[in-house]
Amino acid sequence: MPDSPIVPALWISLFEREDQPGLPLRERVCAALRGAIRRGELAQGARLPSTRMLAADLAISRVTAEAAYAQLEAEGYVTRRVGHGTVVSIASPGWQPAPPMTGIDTSATLSRRGAAIVATGGCQDPLVPRAFCAGSPDLRAFPVETWRQITARQLRRHGAALMGYGDPQGYAPLRDAIAGYLAQSRGVRCDRDQVVVLTSSQQALQLLAMLLLDPGDTVHIEEPGYVGARNAFGSAGAQLEPIPVDAEGMSLPSQAARLTYLTPSHQYPTGATLSLARRLALLEQAQRDGGWIIEDDYDSEFRYDARPLPAMQGLDRHGRVIYLGTFSKVLFPSLRLAYAVLPPALVEAVVKARTVMDGHSAQLAQAVTAEFIAHGHFARHLRQMRLLYGSRRALLLERLEAARLDWLRPQPGAGGLQLAAHLPPGREAALTRQAGARGIATPSLSALFMGADKQDGWLLGFAALQNEDIIDAVARLAS
Ligand SMILES: Cc1ncc(COP(=O)(O)O)c(C=O)c1O
């Protein structure tokens, strides 16, 4: 016979002690209970309060209480039977949590390639945007209802077909939509047979590194530059050569490397635009020396003062440029859709390699994105976001100027979701600590330099912040 329910006082204190406020409410309740069961504080057979009592004691809704118990039942921690209530179903005396990871012994367990990947430190984007996390679009402004309607329509029309394995190159209507959009708005010359749909630009970089680079091959990357690219090429064993960036974008190296990675439309992170003269010279070099160029056009849609220069790919007459774009910034990051436009000679190899990696991208997401573009919602959303982000960027610059922070020098590029700002040499670490103590995230600029000649500074993300967040965050920086 099960025990009588645990008393509210015990239950409430348990919840308060174990509470993890960052989690959704249902998960907070589950986490508190799981912990108590694992530690043996709630023994096998202990009866939990009814959902009505639980809801009243914790001032939560009955629906949340019900959902929490259902989750614990699905995980096997409790059983629920009519007339018996909810009862702890496992005994775990002496259960101990796994010891915290103290680092990975790469020499003992990983391949050389694996060790190189771990040594890069990986890439992690912020899970919850707050001032001034960089690189996040404003997801509150996304037309969720339109997305929901298109999703329902696609499922109604093509449900079963979208649930099977898909074309590793990408869903054909999406490839059509991407090729049309790029030709029209970015001057990219391609047809749908050159487009490969992938889960992210990062996957594209990793795939291209695997396919095009042998250990020791030279790769030119911008200095400062994108860490995701550095990590992908570095973990393939490439020899990375940082090439300085100035107001005209990446400088011209004396000869082409096996591969050159750059962000010509809106250099990451300085915001510079690669001049036409340098574009032509780099293409000429790549043709002469047999190098590949990866053009990462990650955020050129967000240009606030003028139209961006057309993509470098449109100037390429010899099939040396691989063009990358992502939907992470223009739609939403969790969509996990990006694309590569490949010279025809590389298409088959990339598609084959893709089958070895993850097969294909989710078909339903591709079908919904294709309709979203084809029916004009994409163009509308971009127009609105350009206005919204442009006004936030202007507000940030205006507030920074009004605050007269003589130690912080913003370097506004022509667009983007964040801007670089310079700090006096040697001050980045201390100022970052002080900003952190005031609840402000200030991603590091110096971390984006590979060489010894680093510049101290921050990246200040503005696109995902409401006006009041920007005003408040600048005031806190000023204090
Ligand atoms: C230069 C650059 N390329 C690509 C990306 C990310 O794209 P994805 O989410 O598709 O990997 C970022 C993200 O911040 C970026 O800064």
Side-chain angles (χ1 to χ4, degrees), residues 125 134-135 199-203 205 226 261 263 266 268 296-299 325-329 333 336-338 418:
D125 291 303
T199 48
S200 60
S201 311
Q202 194 59 41
Q203 184 185 42
L205 294 170
Y226 181 45
Y261 166 86
T263 48
H266 183 241
Y268 183 89
D296 183 353
D297 206 18
Y298 67 108
D299 76 350
T326 177
F327 288 113
S328 289
K329 317 290 177 190
R336 295 289 78 198
L337 286 181
Q418 66 267 323

Side-chain angles (χ1 to χ4, degrees), residues 31 42 91 113 134 141 159 252 275 290 311 459 479:
L42 290 178
R113 194 192 310 106
L252 197 62
S275 66
L459 293 187
S479 73

Side-chain angles (χ1 to χ4, degrees), residues 60-74:
I60 61 176
S61 79
R62 190 95 183 259
V63 175
T64 305
E66 174 60 39
Y69 278 179
Q71 174 71 29
L72 290 169
E73 182 176 39

Side-chain angles (χ1 to χ4, degrees), residues 303-325:
R303 183 93 173 197
Y304 309 120
D305 303 329
R307 272 175 73 84
L309 275 184
M312 240 175 120
Q313 194 269 7
L315 299 169
D316 177 23
R317 298 285 172 275
H318 303 285
R320 306 312 303 172
V321 175
I322 299 161
Y323 176 92
L324 304 184

Side-chain angles (χ1 to χ4, degrees), residues 238-401:
Q239 200 64 41
L240 299 184
E241 223 176 86
I243 310 289
V245 168
D246 61 23
E248 275 187 70
M250 192 177 93
S251 314
L252 197 62
S254 54
Q255 66 179 78
R258 165 88 179 142
L259 193 153
T260 299
Y261 166 86
L262 74 175
T263 48
S265 304
H266 183 241
Q267 203 274 331
Y268 183 89
T270 64
T273 301
L274 188 68
S275 66
L276 184 60
R278 287 191 187 171
R279 287 172 191 234
L280 294 170
L282 280 166
L283 287 167
E284 160 75 27
Q285 257 186 1
Q287 148 72 359
R288 192 190 61 215
D289 303 337
W292 295 108
I293 293 178
I294 296 183
E295 174 177 23
D296 183 353
D297 206 18
Y298 67 108
D299 76 350
S300 64
E301 289 86 355
F302 300 121
R303 183 93 173 197
Y304 309 120
D305 303 329
R307 272 175 73 84
L309 275 184
M312 240 175 120
Q313 194 269 7
L315 299 169
D316 177 23
R317 298 285 172 275
H318 303 285
R320 306 312 303 172
V321 175
I322 299 161
Y323 176 92
L324 304 184
T326 177
F327 288 113
S328 289
K329 317 290 177 190
V330 286
L331 292 179
F332 51 95
S334 78
L335 182 59
R336 295 289 78 198
L337 286 181
Y339 47 86
V341 177
L342 300 164
L346 281 181
V347 173
E348 199 185 329
V350 170
V351 173
K352 276 258 156 54
R354 201 279 159 86
T355 65
V356 176
M357 222 177 217
D358 67 346
H360 62 88
S361 299
Q363 294 231 79
L364 177 60
Q366 293 189 73
V368 175
T369 306
E371 184 177 330
F372 193 80
I373 298 173
H375 289 192
H377 304 293
F378 184 58
R380 189 171 319 118
H381 181 57
L382 278 185
R383 264 197 311 277
Q384 288 169 354
M385 292 309 99
R386 226 175 263 135
L387 285 176
L388 183 67
Y389 301 163
S391 71
R392 289 175 179 173
R393 172 173 168 275
L395 177 68
L396 174 60
L397 287 170
E398 178 200 306
R399 285 290 153 158
L400 286 174
E401 196 180 327

Side-chain angles (χ1 to χ4, degrees), residues 14 17-18 31-43 92:
L14 174 70
R17 178 160 50 88
E18 293 296 316
L33 262 178
R34 267 189 223 108
I37 295 172
R38 285 170 177 170
R39 285 188 302 274
E41 289 171 20
L42 290 178
S92 38

Side-chain angles (χ1 to χ4, degrees), residues 63-228:
V63 175
T64 305
E66 174 60 39
Y69 278 179
Q71 174 71 29
L72 290 169
E73 182 176 39
E75 293 174 14
Y77 284 93
V78 300
T79 47
R80 308 176 73 193
R81 270 189 298 137
V82 180
H84 290 256
T86 302
V87 176
V88 175
S89 58
I90 56 170
S92 38
W95 183 91
Q96 293 292 326
M101 282 220 287
T102 52
I104 304 170
D105 182 354
T106 51
S107 60
T109 55
L110 300 179
S111 66
R112 276 200 290 277
R113 194 192 310 106
I117 291 172
V118 172
T120 64
C123 325
Q124 168 80 60
D125 291 303
L127 298 184
V128 184
R130 64 183 169 112
F132 286 105
C133 289
S136 302
D138 190 344
L139 302 179
R140 290 166 296 205
F142 189 77
V144 174
E145 180 53 24
T146 307
W147 194 263
R148 190 193 64 71
Q149 286 167 6
I150 299 176
T151 305
R153 193 158 46 239
Q154 285 292 332
L155 277 173
R156 217 170 31 247
R157 287 194 192 143
H158 310 293
L162 292 175
M163 287 168 183
Y165 286 107
D167 181 345
Q169 187 166 352
Y171 187 64
L174 179 58
R175 288 192 280 123
D176 272 333
I178 291 171
Y181 159 69
L182 292 178
Q184 211 183 5
S185 69
R186 302 294 301 118
V188 170
R189 291 163 12 125
C190 68
D191 56 40
R192 76 167 181 194
D193 295 338
Q194 287 168 265
V195 177
V196 180
V197 180
L198 297 161
T199 48
S200 60
S201 311
Q202 194 59 41
Q203 184 185 42
L205 294 170
Q206 201 67 43
L207 258 177
L208 291 165
M210 275 179 6
L211 277 174
L212 302 179
L213 298 175
D214 285 315
D217 279 347
T218 309
V219 173
H220 287 160
I221 56 166
E222 297 160 320
E223 173 83 333
Y226 181 45
V227 173

